[in-house]
Each structure stands twice: as structure tokens, then as C-alpha cells.
Amino acid sequence: MKIIIAGALLVASFYYSQTYPVSSISSEIKKNASAVIRSESTQVEINKIDEIIYKNYSAVSVLNKEAVSFAVPKIFYQKGDVISNVKVVVYDESGKKIKSFSKGDFLDIAANSQGSFYSDSRALILSYTPSVFPYTVEFSYEQKDESTVFIPDFTPFANFNISLEKSTFSVVNNSGINLRSKIYPSPFGYASVNADDKGNTKTYTYQNIPALDEEVLVPNPQKILPKVSFSLDEFNLVGKKGKITTWKDFGLWYHNSLLTPVSASTPQIKAEIAALNLTGTKEEKIKKIYQYMQSKTRYIFVSLGIGGWQPMLPDDVQKKGYGDCKGLTNYMKILLDEAGIESHYAIINSNPSAISFDKDFPKMGGNHVILVIPTEKGNIWLENTSQEIAFNHLSYSTTDRNVLAVKPSGIEIIDTPNYTAQQNREKQLINIVLNADKTINGKAKMQYTGNQYDFNLGFAGLSQKERNDALKSQMSMLNFENLEMNDFKNDRDVASINYDLSFKALNYSKLVGSSLIFRAVPIYSEGFFHDNETRNLPFETKFAYEDDYEIAYELPEGYFIEELPQNGILTSEFGTYSLSFEKKEAQLIVKRVIQIKKGIYNKEKYNDYVSFRKKILNADNSKIMISKKS
């Protein structure tokens, strides 16, 4: 015991004898960095199935105000965790001590953005920020937890503009339970991890990793950086013990321990289904139940019971009319059960940049829950947290990845839909009257489907004025005198948003002598694409899409079309674009179609992509001349 205590004191003394002057950071590590992780050490001791101890140490130099929140000392914990040996020391630029803190200086708050109610997830936060940059925060603590299912991944960092000098992660497994680990190399060779496996201790180290700059179209850091994942074959989650040697084992535990106890129906739920008088096909019945559920519930964050992973009772959701993704999904499942329709609770990684589960490495994961319903025509997918989203439609943050569908027989890994460019579609039908005073009057019909439906769903919750103001901001390429959105419709049966526009814009045309010159495409996506010869990172087009425009220009009386651009087609590995013109007496029809492919591309191709987008932008801005008849 004396040797152990002496060793612990020696380690603490070593760490806190470092002063980390900012001047010692190399220029390579400072490049693009708002903060630098000078030294980081995590030691994980697994003592038994229901005891794990984390010993954490970090020293972070904050170079500017952009990284203040990153360096704020914080400890996330669950009810029942034991937090000890909390110590914080703040140093100035030269390494001189400014101030020190202990656990008593931390605030204890709910670990969610919606306040302190309905959550067992807590956070200790130190609300202190030095007024002068740069500075360094040295932070250490120990955390004892009875839940052993959540051994964190080891990554260099999870944010842009953070760099790393050295980070070490060691796992000491004293439990006798098999610990699996897996290294996922960086697919782009951006960094690598050193591994050392001795006896019951696995140690991993990252060194001298430069910051990821948040360049245009850069993928999520998870898709660029390496990581190491861990999972015990046997685990505990707040008193619920289970196995996770296979996805089947884990699924059986999840179904029996987390879902079955909260799967009981009630007379009130039975009455709800009876009152719907369900008729028609299976799909029609599911749609009616789903839209009924949407009409009577709302989303609210809940993180109670079994580490926040068990859903609320469906009876509570039914009576209170609210729940989180777990509770609402489970309630919807019980409603379907009462209608005799099979469905499966599905765990997913919700993220704009698609992240899937590893089929060959079972472990606890995911940050969201949806519902999947098998039918003869294919799976039906339900997002249960939105009152506005369409039936059988998943948003861009949940498409094109896999889910863990929990069944009585275990977990089945199922892919969510991957919408094509034609499904992710924007359709514009615009009629524009060109006026001799350089103004235009326009009427348009707009339609959005697929992922483009998602991007316009926010209009559903806005007032008329808010919609008009939002559109003016989006369509800033036109100088509006007035703009009105009319007949907005969120078609929740087919996932389509439709609305009409009427507008007047000033100075659309340019007067040259007795002629007017104007651009071919009035409403388009303004993009700022610049060549980058020093691009460091790959780039990602996160989803495929198609924009299909038809613009009919009415010429002012007494004018004729004097000059037109040539019809054109652009083709590249990133997509296609076409622009065509058709004369019709006093009318000009312009048709524009662009298709962009989804993909992640090496940095060497970035300038090719920029060139493609610039050609599109130039074509959109190609000029048409109309002149007065003599």
C-alpha cells in the first residue's frame, strides 16, 4: 500500500511539475490551432464487471478565445458515480501559475441543453476564464463508475482547430473478463496511433498531430482521424449485467433488460388504437397511427433510468404527451403492437456526416433512436421526434448508414435508405416579366423532396413574415422590393414541401444603350469556391441532389432577343450540369439542371471540384441581351 501511494504521489508530482510555456510549442503544432493539447493521459482500470476507474490528466494551452469552451474543465457523470482528486491549475503564457481550483469550485448542473429536469446525466463545470491569452489549463480527476459498457474510444481530438503534442490511453484489465480492442487507421493517413500490449495492460499513444482546419466541405473529424475502440465481453449498466461478444448477445440483453420492462400496453393505449378505426393496407394503417402520434406528442429531453438508455413507459408518454427519442419511439412501437403490426426499435448515429456501426466489432453506441417496420414492399422508417416530418421519411442526418434493430432474437444491422440525386430534388417553375425600367416581376412554384425537403422543413414553424424574411436572406442574389411566400404546404404523406412565390426585384437588368442585359438564372445557390493549392484535408459532398429549373421570361413590349449564350453541358466525376435556351416570340424559356454526386474525395481533387463549380456559376451568370425593335 505504501508503494502504491508513493507511486501515485510521484505521478502527480511529475505532472504538476510541468509548466508548459506556450513558447515551446512548435510552429507546425500551432498552425491552424486555437488550442493545443500539451499532454493528456487517461488510465482506465477495470477491476470487475461493475467497477471501472478513470484517472484523467490534461494540460491544454488556449491560444485564442475560439477555444475557451474546449478548455473549460468539465466532468460528465451519472448518478452514483464517485468523483475525486479534482485539481485545476491555470498558468499564464510563460508558465507562471495564475490560480488553482478544487472540486468545491465547480458548478453541478444537468448535462443537457434543456435545463435540469428529467435527467440523471450531470456535469461538473468550472466557470473560470482568464482574461489574457494565451494561457494553459492543467486538469486532473478520478472517476469511479459501476457501468462498464461505455469505455470511450481513443481519438487524438474530436474538434477542428485543436492540435496535439502527446496523448496516452492505457487500459489495465484486472477483471478477468476478455477486453476486445480494434484500431481504425486514418483512411487518409492523417495520423497514426502507437500500440503496446503487455499482459493485462494495453497502451496507445498519439504524438505531434496538427490541427484539422475547418476547410470548405471538410468531412467530420471522425472520418479523417484514427481511433481505437474497446468493449468488454461482459459488462454492467447501472445494475443490468449482460454480454456483448456478438451483436446477437447484445441485442438479446437490450431487448430483455431495457425494452421488455417498458413494453406494457394499457387500456388507454388500446382505446387509442380502437378509436382510429383502422382500415386499408398495412402502410395506410401505419401512416394513420404515426400521424396520430405526431399530433399528440412533442419532443423533450429525458435522461432517466439505467444510464439514460431505457425509454419512458409508454403509459407516461400517452398521458403526458411528451418524450425523448427513446420514449416516443417506444410509444409508437406499442401503438403498432396494439394494431398487430411488427416494428423494431432501432439505434442509430445521427450526424450530418454519416457514421455507421462496425458489423464486426459489437459495442454499445449510438446517439438516437428511430423505428423500422418490415413490409412486403420494403422497410418503413419513422422519425418520432418531429411533429412536422413526413411519414416514412428520414432526414439527411439519419440516411445512408446502418442501425441496430433490436429484435427478440437479437440485433439485426440494417441499412437506412440512401436517397438518390433525383429524390433529393428542388424544382423551380418561374415566370418573370422583364420591365424596361430594369425591374422584374416574378411568380414561382417551388417544390422540395428528399434531403432538400429537410432543409426547408423549418419554414413549417414560422409565421408569414418570418418566412418572407428568411427567403429574402436565402435569395440575397436578388434585390427585392417585395417578396411573398404563399400556399406553403408540408405534404407529410409524400415528403414534399411546396409553396408559391410572388416578388418584385430591382436592378435585375443592366441598361446598355437601348438594350437590356440580364443573367440567365435568377434564383440559384450562391457559392464561394476558391482554388486552394495548399489544401490539407479531403472534402465531402454529403448528399447527392438535383436542381431542376425552368424559367420563362416575358419580354417588354417592343423588345426582341438579340444575343443568347450557347446551350451547354458540363460533365465531371462530381456531377453534371446543363443549360439550354428556347425562343418563343415574346418569351424566352431557360432550362437548367444540375446533379451533384455524393462522395468523399482526396484533397488533390479539390481544385478540380472548384473548377467544375465555377463553370456552373459562370453559366448561371451568362448574359442575355434584348433590344428595342427599330
Side-chain angles (χ1 to χ4, degrees):
M1 181 60 71
K2 288 180 181 178
I3 294 172
I4 292 172
I5 292 171
L9 291 172
L10 181 63
V11 169
S13 174
F14 171 76
Y15 281 139
Y16 282 89
S17 67
Q18 312 301 304
T19 58
Y20 302 108
V22 173
S23 60
S24 67
I25 304 173
S26 70
S27 57
E28 180 185 5
I29 295 300
K30 275 186 180 178
K31 184 180 179 182
N32 298 321
S34 294
V36 179
I37 300 170
R38 312 296 302 278
S39 179
E40 185 176 60
S41 172
T42 300
Q43 182 175 304
V44 182
E45 294 181 2
I46 308 167
N47 294 320
K48 50 186 178 179
I49 193 171
D50 56 359
E51 183 180 293
I52 189 167
I53 298 173
Y54 298 92
K55 297 179 180 179
N56 299 285
Y57 170 84
S58 64
V60 178
S61 291
V62 180
L63 305 184
N64 57 54
K65 64 181 181 180
E66 302 301 324
V68 167
S69 60
F70 172 79
V72 169
K74 44 189 165 301
I75 304 170
F76 295 98
Y77 71 98
Q78 289 285 325
K79 185 179 179 181
D81 289 0
V82 178
I83 311 297
S84 61
N85 296 329
V86 179
K87 184 178 179 182
V88 177
V89 180
V90 182
Y91 302 93
D92 67 11
E93 181 177 3
S94 65
K96 181 181 177 182
K97 179 179 173 181
I98 300 174
K99 195 160 184 167
S100 61
F101 303 90
S102 62
K103 184 179 178 181
D105 298 307
F106 282 65
L107 298 174
D108 192 336
I109 63 172
N112 69 80
S113 60
Q114 301 186 32
S116 60
F117 49 92
Y118 307 127
S119 179
D120 283 339
S121 299
R122 307 290 300 174
L124 293 171
I125 305 287
L126 181 65
S127 59
Y128 169 78
T129 304
S131 57
V132 178
F133 297 93
Y135 61 88
T136 298
V137 179
E138 202 170 20
F139 176 35
S140 63
Y141 67 96
E142 292 186 15
Q143 184 169 359
K144 184 177 179 181
D145 193 350
E146 67 172 343
S147 295
T148 53
V149 71
F150 298 116
I151 302 174
D153 290 341
F154 179 45
T155 59
F157 37 77
N159 304 84
F160 292 106
N161 305 113
I162 307 297
S163 63
L164 171 73
E165 288 188 330
K166 186 174 183 179
S167 179
T168 301
F169 191 100
S170 62
V171 185
V172 182
N173 185 11
N174 301 317
S175 69
I177 302 168
N178 183 53
L179 174 70
R180 290 175 288 110
S181 61
K182 185 171 182 178
I183 295 174
Y184 297 84
S186 166
F188 302 97
Y190 193 79
S192 60
V193 63
N194 294 318
D196 185 19
D197 194 342
K198 292 181 180 177
N200 65 344
T201 302
K202 298 174 184 283
T203 303
Y204 303 87
T205 305
Y206 296 112
Q207 280 189 288
N208 297 322
I209 300 178
L212 297 175
D213 193 23
E214 197 164 2
E215 298 176 307
V216 176
L217 299 177
V218 66
N220 186 299
Q222 291 183 63
K223 290 191 171 183
I224 299 173
L225 295 168
K227 74 173 181 180
V228 187
S229 287
F230 307 90
S231 184
L232 283 171
D233 282 358
E234 298 175 54
F235 65 87
N236 177 64
L237 175 60
V238 194
K240 301 286 185 179
K241 294 180 174 63
K243 292 184 178 181
I244 193 170
T245 53
T246 66
W247 283 118
K248 180 179 180 180
D249 288 341
F250 184 55
L252 286 171
W253 172 83
Y254 206 111
H255 181 271
N256 296 332
S257 297
L258 297 187
L259 299 186
T260 299
V262 292
S263 294
S265 184
T266 65
Q268 291 84 358
I269 291 175
K270 294 178 188 290
E272 285 183 297
I273 291 298
L276 291 177
N277 297 314
L278 299 172
T279 59
T281 65
K282 182 177 182 179
E283 182 178 284
E284 288 169 338
K285 292 176 182 177
I286 296 167
K287 183 190 295 183
K288 189 168 186 179
I289 297 170
Y290 177 65
Q291 293 182 347
Y292 162 76
M293 185 277 298
Q294 286 180 297
S295 71
K296 66 159 293 180
T297 61
R298 70 187 191 280
Y299 174 85
I300 193 167
F301 182 86
V302 179
S303 181
L304 296 172
I306 312 188
W309 282 78
Q310 187 171 58
M312 292 171 61
L313 286 164
D315 183 43
D316 287 340
V317 178
Q318 191 270 332
K319 289 176 179 176
K320 297 176 180 178
Y322 61 71
D324 63 4
C325 62
K326 304 183 301 293
L328 295 172
T329 296
N330 189 49
Y331 172 55
M332 181 64 200
K333 183 181 185 306
I334 301 306
L335 289 171
L336 291 171
D337 287 347
E338 285 297 342
I341 298 171
E342 178 188 26
S343 63
H344 306 298
Y345 186 94
I347 307 154
I348 193 168
N349 289 300
S350 177
N351 192 305
S353 190
I355 305 292
S356 285
F357 296 98
D358 184 345
K359 296 180 181 180
D360 300 320
F361 193 83
K363 67 168 293 184
M364 185 71 130
N367 61 4
H368 188 50
V369 174
I370 57 179
L371 203 64
V372 57
I373 305 155
T375 75
E376 292 181 358
K377 297 179 180 179
N379 291 323
I380 289 175
W381 298 90
L382 300 181
E383 168 58 65
N384 302 288
T385 59
S386 170
Q387 295 171 296
E388 302 292 348
I389 201 167
F391 170 74
N392 194 21
H393 174 80
L394 293 181
S395 74
Y396 65 94
S397 65
T398 50
T399 50
D400 192 26
R401 67 205 70 199
N402 60 29
V403 303
L404 307 178
V406 183
K407 299 183 175 184
S409 58
I411 277 174
E412 180 182 356
I413 298 181
I414 304 174
D415 292 333
T416 62
N418 182 14
Y419 298 147
T420 65
Q422 292 87 350
Q423 290 172 305
N424 297 328
R425 189 166 181 256
E426 175 187 6
K427 177 69 176 177
Q428 292 185 10
L429 292 173
I430 309 176
N431 288 286
I432 289 180
V433 176
L434 293 161
N435 301 312
D437 63 357
K438 302 186 292 184
T439 65
I440 56 173
N441 295 89
K443 292 187 179 296
K445 290 188 176 296
M446 316 289 277
Q447 181 185 53
Y448 303 89
T449 57
N451 292 153
Q452 303 219 53
Y453 166 87
D454 305 326
F455 303 144
N456 287 272
L457 192 57
F459 284 123
L462 301 182
S463 68
Q464 182 66 45
K465 182 180 184 305
E466 288 170 332
R467 288 173 181 171
N468 293 342
D469 290 344
L471 272 178
K472 282 181 182 178
S473 177
Q474 283 184 18
M475 300 179 181
S476 58
M477 73 290 296
L478 289 175
N479 181 14
F480 289 110
E481 183 176 272
N482 56 64
L483 170 69
E484 284 287 331
M485 178 194 289
N486 300 299
D487 299 325
F488 177 89
K489 182 182 180 183
N490 172 21
D491 190 334
R492 295 193 295 128
D493 292 334
V494 295
S496 175
I497 281 178
N498 303 269
Y499 58 82
D500 294 342
L501 286 182
S502 59
F503 59 88
K504 181 177 182 180
L506 309 176
N507 297 317
Y508 184 68
S509 304
K510 182 178 180 180
L511 187 62
V512 180
S514 60
S515 301
L516 292 172
I517 297 175
F518 57 93
R519 68 171 181 265
V521 180
I523 298 172
Y524 57 93
S525 296
E526 285 189 299
F528 299 94
F529 300 99
H530 303 288
D531 292 332
N532 185 350
E533 299 299 335
T534 60
R535 175 97 186 185
N536 293 310
L537 300 171
F539 66 99
E540 179 179 21
T541 49
K542 289 186 171 64
F543 67 98
Y545 68 89
E546 177 181 284
D547 292 343
D548 184 354
Y549 300 172
E550 182 173 317
I551 308 128
Y553 288 101
E554 300 286 342
L555 275 59
E557 187 173 352
Y559 279 75
F560 70 98
I561 299 169
E562 184 166 320
E563 290 184 13
L564 276 180
Q566 294 290 318
N567 293 346
I569 296 176
L570 298 172
T571 303
S572 83
E573 66 176 300
F574 312 111
T576 60
Y577 171 90
S578 66
L579 187 67
S580 64
F581 304 89
E582 181 184 356
K583 296 180 183 180
K584 285 188 176 179
E585 297 182 358
Q587 192 179 62
L588 171 66
I589 308 296
V590 179
K591 293 183 179 180
R592 173 198 191 260
V593 179
I594 178 174
Q595 279 194 4
I596 296 296
K597 298 177 182 178
K598 174 177 178 162
I600 297 182
Y601 304 92
N602 291 326
K603 62 183 181 181
E604 290 79 13
K605 294 185 177 181
Y606 181 72
N607 286 340
D608 294 336
Y609 179 75
V610 169
S611 176
F612 175 59
R613 296 308 301 242
K614 283 183 175 180
K615 288 175 183 176
I616 291 171
L617 196 59
N618 289 338
D620 286 342
N621 281 289
S622 56
K623 298 300 186 285
I624 299 164
M625 177 182 283
I626 61 174
S627 300
K628 281 186 177 181
K629 297 175 182 177
S630 55

